[in-house]
Amino acid sequence: MSQLKALLFDVDGTLAETEHDGHRVAFNRTFAEHGLSWHWNESRYRELLETSGSSERIAAYVRSDHPHWLNQTDATARIKQMHLDKNRHYAGLVVAGNIHLRPGVMALLRQAIAQNLRVAIVTTTHRSNVDALLAVTLDAELRNAFQVFVTGEDVARKKPDPECYQLALHALKLAPDETLAIEDSPNGLNAAHGAGIRSVIVPSVYFRDCDFTAADIVVREFTDVSFSALCQLP
Ligand code: XBP
Ligand code: MG
């Protein structure tokens, strides 16, 4: 196995509990703003998280729960607008201080940088959501340490498709076994493994009951694993 050269960080659920503390709340604010009676409670949102990407998630929900709503001619445009509005509400929640890094994320980043590991962001959320979160939770030095950002706009197919990880490997000019993905979800695990990349899973709240036996290591929080243990994964 080659020497580890880069850590590839997912964002939603991994750096922070963004789905729980941010996106779900923002979706519900958006639905109310659009005059819709739709409301995603925790258990419904858990099911809907199987679809990555907000426009795709809203469309999947409407197909299942309100199929007639799709008959209107501007249904696609309305979903697109809801996605933009959801991201505006999400950014508001971030700026208001509702979303915090998960314990141990900052320490792991600092150790990686001190050991000359490269760090990248590999997410299927939009770049604006990543920028909003990093601006509030990291100082400029740590933000600038990320050499590569692959976000939802960069891919044709979102997680669990491996495309985002393949793009990151290409941008970093690294082989899969020189990198380690850090993820929180089954879709993230499958995306990383589809690209041949090993994975550390730190399940986020919605995915604590999932089967992650295919992962290389699973820990409850970042504080439960040492940096040297991550570097020495077989
Ligand atoms: C992230 C997502 C995203 C977020 C919202 O998945 O599925 O859809 O819920 O992002 P992962 P957008 O953590 O596996 O990358 O609103 O930008 O779509
Ligand atoms: Mg995630």
Side-chain angles (χ1 to χ4, degrees), residues 10 12 19 53-54 57 83 86-87 124-126 129 159:
D10 170 49
D12 290 313
E19 299 291 4
S54 291
R57 187 169 303 140
H83 184 184
K86 188 278 294 175
N87 285 352
T124 47
T125 201
H126 273 208
N129 294 335
K159 297 173 187 176

Side-chain angles (χ1 to χ4, degrees), residues 141-160:
E141 188 193 346
L142 286 180
R143 277 200 307 275
N144 294 335
F146 289 104
Q147 297 180 1
V148 165
F149 288 79
V150 178
T151 62
E153 299 95 320
D154 299 323
V155 294
R157 295 169 304 280
K158 295 184 176 172
K159 297 173 187 176

Side-chain angles (χ1 to χ4, degrees), residues 10-16 18-19 122-124 159 182-188 204 207:
D10 170 49
V11 174
D12 290 313
T14 299
L15 293 185
T18 53
E19 299 291 4
V122 185
T123 175
T124 47
K159 297 173 187 176
I182 304 180
E183 281 282 359
D184 69 300
S185 69
N187 278 346
S204 54
F207 300 118

Side-chain angles (χ1 to χ4, degrees), residues 157-232:
R157 295 169 304 280
K158 295 184 176 172
K159 297 173 187 176
D161 192 283
E163 184 182 0
C164 54
Y165 279 103
Q166 289 160 343
L167 284 178
L169 291 175
H170 183 74
L172 289 161
K173 297 187 173 50
L174 291 175
D177 67 357
E178 294 175 312
T179 67
L180 184 62
I182 304 180
E183 281 282 359
D184 69 300
S185 69
N187 278 346
L189 169 65
N190 290 330
H193 279 197
I197 297 172
R198 290 167 296 165
S199 59
V200 180
I201 301 294
V202 194
S204 54
V205 285
Y206 289 116
F207 300 118
R208 293 233 167 105
D209 59 347
C210 291
D211 177 5
F212 288 117
T213 45
D216 296 85
I217 177 167
V218 186
V219 289
R220 190 173 162 87
E221 290 296 347
F222 289 92
T223 42
D224 295 338
V225 65
S226 72
F227 178 71
S228 57
L230 292 186
C231 293
Q232 284 160 23

Side-chain angles (χ1 to χ4, degrees), residues 9 15 19 24-25 34 41 45 47 51 53 59 62 134-135 139 165 171-172 188 192 196 229:
F9 285 89
L15 293 185
E19 299 291 4
R24 186 185 73 89
V25 178
H34 281 247
N41 64 22
Y45 195 61
E47 294 164 358
T51 304
V62 177
L134 299 192
D139 62 24
Y165 279 103
L172 289 161

